Amino acid sequence: RRLQCDGDLSTLSHVFVDEVHERDVATDFLLIILKRLLEKRPKLKLVLMSATLNAKVFADYFKKFDPHVASIPGRAHPVQAFFLEDALALTRLKVDARSECAYGGFKSKQASRNGFRSEFAGLTKRDWATRLPDYPDETHASLSALDAACVNYELIVKVVESIFAEQRNGAWAKRCFSTVFDDRDGAVLVFVTGLAEITATVEGLQKSEKLRGIATIHALHSQLSTQDQQAVFKRPPRGTRKVVVSTNIAETSITIDDVVYVVDA
């Protein structure tokens, strides 16, 4: 919008482009415009930033302007990844042909109409048993029925309930939580795809009897007021744990520094 009003950015001395590694048409188009603008305004300072940037690609693109590459050392936190089969085994959620998220169910058809289709469609219980021999039979059965392209709100709630559980004595609970450094105060961040999904997830979490009184639940999206958005950064009351439900705005635009668990739906 600034370029539409002032094509030469004549009132600016510096331009910062953050998360530049997230390549899309809009970002690439912006870089083309800025490269041409640098030829007209050689004193304009352009700063490209990213935590996961392949700097050489961008340095080569702007090489005629003799770019300077600055690397700021940091540290990555160790992350233990778990997958759909782990969530199903942990929660013991059973999905059959009658479920909304089963292949052919309402949500599955809706996802197909929106262009989403799981790459695992058509795999049978036997196929899953061959692929994942260490998992329970009920997990194989659920995987063969469940359309992974659907947002399964019941599974999200059950996973969050498992994180809050005082007792983690089951084999899968020990497998999932034994390697996690958890001080029982760290926040839970739930990623979903849009505003409607945020609303549905928050409603599901608020209805959970197991989370009542011990979970402080926040929605985070661009339509909230600044005051409501700021609430996600505050520590929850003692004895409770914070749950933030958001889109990837919480991955690319802000930092919630007390997150211990991420549930990516």
Side-chain angles (χ1 to χ4, degrees):
R1 290 181 180 179
R2 189 66 174 263
L3 284 164
Q4 288 177 335
C5 302
D6 179 10
D8 291 339
L9 299 180
S10 58
T11 60
L12 301 181
S13 61
H14 293 69
V15 174
F16 291 81
V17 183
D18 197 10
E19 303 292 353
V20 74
H21 68 277
E22 296 187 0
R23 303 285 301 277
D24 58 20
V25 173
T27 303
D28 284 357
F29 186 57
L30 174 62
L31 294 179
I32 291 171
I33 295 173
L34 291 173
K35 184 178 181 181
R36 293 177 178 176
L37 183 57
L38 284 171
E39 295 176 352
K40 296 175 63 177
R41 291 194 56 201
K43 291 186 178 181
L44 179 69
K45 305 298 183 183
L46 174 62
V47 182
L48 307 179
M49 301 190 302
S50 170
T52 58
L53 173 66
N54 181 354
K56 187 177 184 303
V57 172
F58 295 92
D60 288 345
Y61 184 67
F62 289 97
K63 62 182 179 182
K64 68 180 294 183
F65 305 104
D66 192 23
H68 173 71
V69 178
S71 178
I72 301 173
R75 67 185 182 91
H77 293 280
V79 176
Q80 178 71 43
F82 298 97
F83 301 94
L84 177 60
E85 56 268 24
D86 299 301
L88 290 169
L90 172 67
T91 62
R92 304 186 70 179
L93 177 67
K94 295 181 180 180
V95 180
D96 57 29
R98 295 167 295 179
S99 302
E100 283 188 334
C101 286
Y103 290 110
F106 171 74
K107 290 184 179 178
S108 177
K109 291 178 179 177
Q110 192 174 44
S112 296
R113 286 196 297 269
N114 293 332
F116 300 108
R117 179 173 174 79
S118 171
E119 60 183 293
F120 302 112
L123 292 181
T124 65
K125 178 181 176 181
R126 180 176 296 180
D127 294 329
W128 282 112
T130 302
R131 285 171 172 245
L132 303 171
D134 296 333
Y135 287 75
D137 282 346
E138 62 185 18
T139 300
H140 300 145
S142 293
L143 286 168
S144 66
L146 178 61
D147 185 350
C150 296
V151 178
N152 191 320
Y153 301 108
E154 183 181 6
L155 181 58
I156 294 172
V157 172
K158 285 187 174 296
V159 168
V160 174
E161 288 175 345
S162 298
I163 292 171
F164 275 78
E166 288 292 333
Q167 302 296 325
R168 296 172 175 171
N169 298 324
W172 284 98
K174 291 180 179 178
R175 174 169 174 167
C176 292
F177 295 113
S178 62
T179 59
V180 178
F181 176 75
D182 181 8
D183 57 8
R184 293 285 181 173
D185 292 323
V188 181
L189 177 58
V190 181
F191 283 142
V192 289
T193 52
L195 179 57
E197 290 77 13
I198 290 175
T199 302
T201 303
V202 168
E203 289 176 353
L205 293 169
Q206 290 174 337
K207 290 177 182 177
S208 170
E209 292 288 341
K210 294 180 179 180
L211 300 179
R212 188 157 297 164
I214 59 174
T216 303
I217 302 168
H218 298 276
L220 178 61
H221 50 80
S222 59
Q223 295 184 27
L224 291 175
S225 67
T226 301
Q227 182 178 359
D228 289 337
Q229 290 185 18
Q230 290 297 317
V232 306
F233 301 106
K234 298 178 180 178
R235 295 295 190 267
R238 190 174 182 83
T240 69
R241 195 194 284 266
K242 179 172 61 183
V243 182
V244 179
V245 185
S246 180
T247 63
N248 63 0
I249 183 178
E251 179 183 23
T252 60
S253 303
I254 62 172
T255 299
I256 304 173
D257 62 6
D258 59 338
V259 169
V260 175
Y261 296 98
V262 176
V263 180
D264 188 354

